[in-house]
């Protein structure tokens, strides 16, 4: 019932964060690219294998003076993996404790998502993905989110060896997408979902340009090869962006959606990182993924704020000069002084600059040492963080499970009419 949203609205009001005015509106009216780096972890940035950088193009972007990069940014996905990342990034709502919210609720629920918000500011919005449109129920969910266009498999070239794993190889995919992007009315919001750097990290010989690692764990050793391939595809895409002149009119956002190597490969990861152990604490820290915002003239640098995928939409809205006041969003502007640095994982664990919780264990984030007995002062801080995490996760779940946004429309936002959208390709 309608009043079910009241506790969430009260929570939002209490936790409203004033965005950083230094960044407010600096990207107003710019095209926005959201580049999804599949299974890409932060440790790959500047990582060297046999003396060679694995991802030179992304490294260059990471260190560029006009890129705002984050080195304490975490993925917060659950079982929905890619879908949970998409849900958080474009709605600032968490995925569900089990399954994928895009699958269970994407079709029927009411959302106030990034594409709809931008559409109402005069943007054209499009998502690109080189696989079937039904994967993760994207075809239905994107209608609920207000995407004008969804370019999926049928819109792209196909042929022998064009696909690998989860769809079209990234280089072909990004090159093909560019042709559509050039035709989109500006300003546009375009999301590009890469797939090649996905488990089990296999790549045809012709596209391999770096040796596999030598841990002997077959799940792990191909990761640098597909990551290198993804990096090259980004290099080509950025070159196109420059050639097209779009680089001067666009903000390009990169993010890694979730881990590529799971905690089941402790021995191999330790070897890769040159460490003698890899425990539960290390695995929590290993959940860092890239988040970088690149734009001509942007005041960049490496920002050490702790945050995660839930914080992306509020951060981007501030850059775009769109107030998120009154919106139901569980994250906050990463550049704001008031941003909370408690990063919730979907299972209730968390990381803060001070403490890391894994199950019933607590660690000092700076030393990695397990705290055997909490002092009263530590307990106070940890209890507050635990309370924040469980409150936010459970309120988000109530919103999702109860479809509560249907009862509440923020000021300045118009409800999305799903039936206005159709992504089927009509062959001439
Ligand atoms: C599927 C692709 C991969 O379309 O996005 O999803 P994942 O397995 O990473 O959740
Ligand atoms: Mn994924």
């Amino acid at each position: 019932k309608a009043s079910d949203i009241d506790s969430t609205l009260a929570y939002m009001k209490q936790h409203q964060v004033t965005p950083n005015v230094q960044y407010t509106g600096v990207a107003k009216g710019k095209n926005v690219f959201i580049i999804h780096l599949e299974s890409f972890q932060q440790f790959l940035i500047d990582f060297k294998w046999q003396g060679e950088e694995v991802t030179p193009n992304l490294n260059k972007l990471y260190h560029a003076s006009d890129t705002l990069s984050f080195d304490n940014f975490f993925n917060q996905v659950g079982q929905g993996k890619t879908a949970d990342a998409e849900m958080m990034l474009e709605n600032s709502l968490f995925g569900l404790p089990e399954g994928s919210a895009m699958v269970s609720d994407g079709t029927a629920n009411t959302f106030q998502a990034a594409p709809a918000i931008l559409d109402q500011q005069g943007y054209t919005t499009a998502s690109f993905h080189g696989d079937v449109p039904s994967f993760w129920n994207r075809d239905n969910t994107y209608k609920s989110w207000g995407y004008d266009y969804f370019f999926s498999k049928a819109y792209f070239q196909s042929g022998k060896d064009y696909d690998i794993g989860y769809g079209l190889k990234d280089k072909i995919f990004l090159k093909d997408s560019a042709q559509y992007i050039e035709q989109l009315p500006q300003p546009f919001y375009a999301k590009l979902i890469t797939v090649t750097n996905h488990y089990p990290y296999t790549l045809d010989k012709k596209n391999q340009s770096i040796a596999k690692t030598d841990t002997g764990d077959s799940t792990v050793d191909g990761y640098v090869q597909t990551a290198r391939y993804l990096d090259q595809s980004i290099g080509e895409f950025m070159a196109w962006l420059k050639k097209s002149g779009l680089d001067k009119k666009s903000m390009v956002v990169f993010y890694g959606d979730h881990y590529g190597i799971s905690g089941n490969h402790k021995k191999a990861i330790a070897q890769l990182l040159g460490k003698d152990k890899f425990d539960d604490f290390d695995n929590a820290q290993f959940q860092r993924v890239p988040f970088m915002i690149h734009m001509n003239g942007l005041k960049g640098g490496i920002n050490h704020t702790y945050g995660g995928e839930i914080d992306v939409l509020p951060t981007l809205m501030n850059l775009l000069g769109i107030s998120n006041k009154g919106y139901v969003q569980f994250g906050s502007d990463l550049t704001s002084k008031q941003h909370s640095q408690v990063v919730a994982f979907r299972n209730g664990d968390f990381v803060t600059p001070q403490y890391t919780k894994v199950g019933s264990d607590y660690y000092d984030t700076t030393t990695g040492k397990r705290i055997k007995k909490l002092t009263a002062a530590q307990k106070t801080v940890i209890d507050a963080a635990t309370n924040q995490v469980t409150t936010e996760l459970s309120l988000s779940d109530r919103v999702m499970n109860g479809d509560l946004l249907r009862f509440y429309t923020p000021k300045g936002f118009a409800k999305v009419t799903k039936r206005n959208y159709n992504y089927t390709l009509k062959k001439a």
Side-chain angles (χ1 to χ4, degrees):
K1 56 182 192 313
S3 62
D4 288 349
I5 188 130
D6 293 352
S7 51
T8 301
L9 294 178
Y11 187 86
M12 291 295 144
K13 223 179 187 151
Q14 243 174 56
H15 293 83
Q16 182 74 40
V17 163
T18 311
N20 182 344
V21 291
Q22 264 200 351
Y23 284 105
T24 304
V26 298
K28 196 168 184 66
K30 297 264 181 180
N31 302 312
V32 181
F33 286 98
I34 307 284
I35 316 268
H36 170 109
L37 305 171
E38 181 56 44
S39 305
F40 197 100
Q41 296 184 215
Q42 180 68 16
F43 88 87
L44 285 168
I45 298 291
D46 292 337
F47 184 75
K48 283 189 176 162
W49 170 233
Q50 294 183 335
E52 242 184 276
E53 286 178 77
V54 175
T55 60
N57 292 296
L58 287 163
N59 296 348
K60 214 174 99 200
L61 281 161
Y62 178 75
H63 293 288
S65 61
D66 52 2
T67 304
L68 179 58
S69 303
F70 291 83
D71 61 356
N72 291 307
F73 180 89
F74 292 77
N75 86 80
Q76 299 170 284
V77 308
Q79 292 173 349
K81 305 288 288 289
T82 294
D84 284 356
E86 290 191 52
M87 180 62 76
M88 285 186 278
L89 258 95
E90 303 197 88
N91 295 274
S92 198
L93 294 174
F94 289 99
L96 290 170
E98 272 162 43
S100 148
M102 272 176 62
V103 172
S104 55
D105 300 295
T107 309
N109 274 18
T110 295
F111 293 94
Q112 288 130 19
I117 293 169
L118 283 168
D119 184 80
Q120 293 169 23
Q121 301 281 328
Y123 275 71
T124 310
T125 58
S127 178
F128 298 79
H129 177 61
D131 197 4
V132 291
S134 56
F135 207 106
W136 285 130
N137 194 33
R138 286 186 175 97
D139 47 353
N140 293 309
T141 304
Y142 286 171
K143 292 176 187 170
S144 306
W145 292 358
Y147 265 113
D148 295 322
Y149 300 102
F150 177 27
F151 297 94
S152 58
K153 198 172 183 71
Y155 288 83
F156 299 105
Q157 295 184 60
S158 61
K160 192 179 168 304
D161 300 330
Y162 278 37
D163 281 28
I164 200 157
Y166 283 75
L168 196 55
K169 286 179 190 156
D170 295 340
K171 287 189 187 183
I172 310 171
F173 166 66
L174 290 175
K175 202 163 171 228
D176 267 16
S177 297
Q179 294 173 23
Y180 290 114
I181 292 166
E182 283 173 352
Q183 296 174 50
L184 292 177
Q186 297 183 38
F188 55 73
Y189 171 87
K191 169 159 88 167
L192 296 139
I193 305 167
T194 64
V195 292
T196 310
N197 188 44
H198 191 291
Y199 175 83
Y201 311 114
T202 43
L203 195 61
D204 47 317
K205 261 241 144 58
K206 217 173 75 227
N207 279 303
Q208 298 175 4
S209 62
I210 190 164
K212 280 189 183 182
T213 52
D214 61 357
T215 68
D217 185 329
S218 60
T219 307
V220 173
D221 286 334
Y223 188 51
V224 291
Q225 281 187 333
T226 48
R228 164 63 72 84
Y229 174 82
L230 169 58
D231 180 75
Q232 290 177 337
S233 77
I234 299 299
E236 291 175 8
F237 184 79
M238 295 308 282
W240 162 76
L241 201 68
K242 195 159 183 197
K243 209 174 116 221
S244 69
L246 282 170
D247 62 330
K248 293 192 187 63
K249 297 190 258 176
S250 306
M251 167 168 79
V252 191
V253 179
F254 298 91
Y255 78 100
D257 62 340
H258 49 73
Y259 63 81
I261 306 174
S262 83
N264 300 327
H265 303 273
K266 293 195 166 59
K267 226 183 105 204
I269 301 169
Q271 196 179 323
L272 219 57
L273 303 179
K275 292 189 168 167
D276 41 72
K277 59 127 199 156
F278 185 83
D279 61 16
D280 288 346
F281 168 80
D282 298 311
N283 193 42
Q285 308 308 315
F286 200 53
Q287 300 311 309
R288 283 175 172 80
V289 290
F291 180 53
M292 323 196 262
I293 304 164
H294 178 72
M295 187 177 77
N296 269 20
L298 183 70
K299 188 177 165 292
I302 297 170
N303 183 312
H304 307 304
T305 302
Y306 278 62
E309 292 170 324
I310 201 77
D311 301 310
V312 169
L313 181 58
T315 307
L316 296 184
M317 282 177 78
N318 184 45
L319 288 159
L320 292 163
I322 306 165
S323 169
N324 74 340
K325 213 170 159 197
Y327 279 83
V328 174
Q329 297 179 348
F330 286 92
S332 66
D333 173 22
L334 285 165
T335 64
S336 166
K337 279 202 181 70
Q338 292 166 17
H339 166 76
S340 155
Q341 297 196 82
V342 176
V343 185
F345 292 127
R346 186 51 260 196
N347 63 4
D349 289 349
F350 59 78
V351 178
T352 80
Q354 274 180 299
Y355 303 113
T356 296
K357 173 184 185 293
V358 183
S360 52
D361 290 332
Y362 298 96
Y363 300 83
D364 179 326
T365 300
T366 54
T367 64
K369 289 224 164 67
R370 195 170 75 82
I371 305 167
K372 291 194 186 82
K373 191 159 171 25
L374 299 176
T375 64
Q378 287 173 327
K379 199 172 169 314
T380 308
V381 177
I382 284 172
D383 284 351
T386 308
N387 186 33
Q388 183 184 333
V389 166
T390 48
T391 305
E392 287 178 2
L393 289 170
S394 66
L395 287 177
S396 179
D397 291 348
R398 278 174 71 172
V399 169
M400 194 68 76
N401 291 325
D403 184 15
L404 300 184
L405 294 182
R406 79 192 134 128
F407 299 124
Y408 172 77
T409 309
K411 235 190 231 110
F413 182 85
K415 252 191 179 157
V416 172
T417 310
K418 303 176 201 229
R419 64 168 186 281
N420 288 352
Y421 301 95
N422 182 356
Y423 309 131
T424 327
L425 179 65
K426 294 166 207 79
K427 285 244 157 77

